Amino acid sequence: MRLIKVKNYDEMSERAAMLIAAQVQLKPDAVLGLATGSSPVGTYQRLVDWYKAGKLDFSEIRSVNLDEYAGLKGTDPQSYRYFMEDNLFSHVNIAKENTYVPNGTAEDLVAECGWYDANIKKLGGIDLQLLGIGNNGHIGFNEPADCFIEGTHLVDLEESTIQANARFFDSPDEVPRQAVTMGIGSIMRAAKVLLIASGETKAKLIEHAFAGPVTPQIPATVLKLHPDCTVIYCE
Ligand code: F6R
């Protein structure tokens, strides 16, 4: 695991975008595992800028997102599908049919989870997985638990996650209580993992978590076992 501490959010975003751009150039039909939230916004902005400057081509890229809120349609501005369209997909030449975000309104969410895993397999697995980290150590929406969950699953969000994500909603009551998330297995099978985090609390969490043992109580610690994981973070 490479831990790279940088000066600020801009430098974190620049470095992360450079690694993703390198992946896109090395393998034009790569499968990118993508995240939402505040952490990757600056990274996506740079990828959009470089695309507009003619430096990147997403026409053959495939993408799979980590998670989606249960019950939100992709057209809902709070949904993660909407976030991806707004921050990346609609600004670059990725083919919409090659972008996958779990369907949080599927009638049968268990079947949707099974389909999502089968699809990742069909795509040939993830070449580069981008991750953020929750204040409780979650990756994707794999919340602290007694064991790591392998596959895509429906999860009850922790109160701390609901509170943290309430900033994107008019009130905490509007934050969905459940989400569909990729499991630890798909994340760990990605050829490369890139985790980004910013802010004093997250910087402390990263330094504490990655110095300690692997435990499902801090899900991100599993990344210590990944053969090619880069963590770029700042205070
Ligand atoms: C988002 C995701 C979450 C976030 C994490 C950090 O798709 O999977 O694990 O990465 O909650 O969120 P931010 O970046 O908003 O602090």
Side-chain angles (χ1 to χ4, degrees):
M1 166 175 285
R2 286 173 295 280
L3 281 180
I4 305 174
K5 192 169 186 177
V6 296
K7 282 198 304 291
N8 52 36
Y9 183 87
D10 278 347
E11 191 184 348
M12 177 195 82
S13 304
E14 181 84 9
R15 289 211 189 200
M18 278 164 65
L19 291 180
I20 297 171
Q23 177 68 69
V24 170
Q25 286 178 334
L26 286 168
K27 189 175 175 195
D29 64 347
V31 176
L32 299 180
L34 299 176
T36 60
S38 313
S39 307
V41 170
T43 303
Y44 294 149
Q45 186 57 57
R46 280 159 179 80
L47 293 176
V48 169
D49 290 348
W50 296 340
Y51 164 73
K52 287 188 175 157
K55 294 178 184 166
L56 283 178
D57 175 16
F58 291 86
S59 60
E60 290 176 61
I61 290 291
R62 284 86 50 80
S63 72
V64 285
N65 261 80
L66 281 167
D67 39 25
E68 178 61 281
Y69 286 120
L72 294 195
K73 282 199 183 127
T75 48
D76 188 315
Q78 312 289 7
S79 74
Y80 285 173
R81 159 61 74 180
Y82 191 97
F83 173 99
M84 289 310 302
E85 297 291 340
D86 200 32
N87 283 278
L88 183 67
F89 298 157
S90 68
H91 306 290
V92 299
N93 65 337
I94 195 164
K96 179 146 183 176
E97 63 272 22
N98 289 338
T99 65
Y100 300 92
V101 180
N103 176 3
T105 57
E107 226 169 88
D108 181 345
L109 283 174
V110 175
E112 168 67 14
C113 293
W115 181 87
Y116 206 70
D117 283 338
N119 189 51
I120 294 173
K121 206 166 169 192
K122 191 168 134 204
L123 293 171
I126 299 166
D127 291 293
L128 172 64
Q129 177 65 56
L130 177 64
L131 297 174
I133 183 172
N135 290 325
N136 60 3
H138 72 212
I139 48 176
F141 274 137
N142 291 274
E143 299 282 43
D146 293 335
C147 61
F148 293 113
I149 301 181
E150 217 273 331
T152 301
H153 58 284
L154 185 63
V155 65
D156 292 331
L157 299 176
E158 274 206 347
E159 195 50 39
S160 65
T161 300
I162 292 166
Q163 292 305 328
N165 290 1
R167 68 190 194 279
F168 300 114
F169 292 78
D170 288 337
S171 90
D173 294 346
E174 287 179 25
V175 185
R177 269 39 191 174
Q178 289 190 310
V180 174
T181 183
M182 221 187 251
I184 293 294
S186 306
I187 295 172
M188 289 299 282
R189 278 190 294 276
K192 289 185 170 54
V193 172
L194 169 59
L195 187 149
I196 54 175
S198 67
E200 224 174 289
T201 311
K202 297 237 177 122
K204 278 208 186 84
L205 169 64
I206 281 176
E207 286 164 5
H208 163 77
F210 294 132
V214 172
T215 165
Q217 297 298 341
I218 310 177
T221 56
V222 75
L223 299 172
K224 289 178 75 166
L225 304 175
H226 193 281
D228 190 351
C229 175
T230 304
V231 178
I232 304 177
Y233 72 106
C234 63
E235 283 181 356

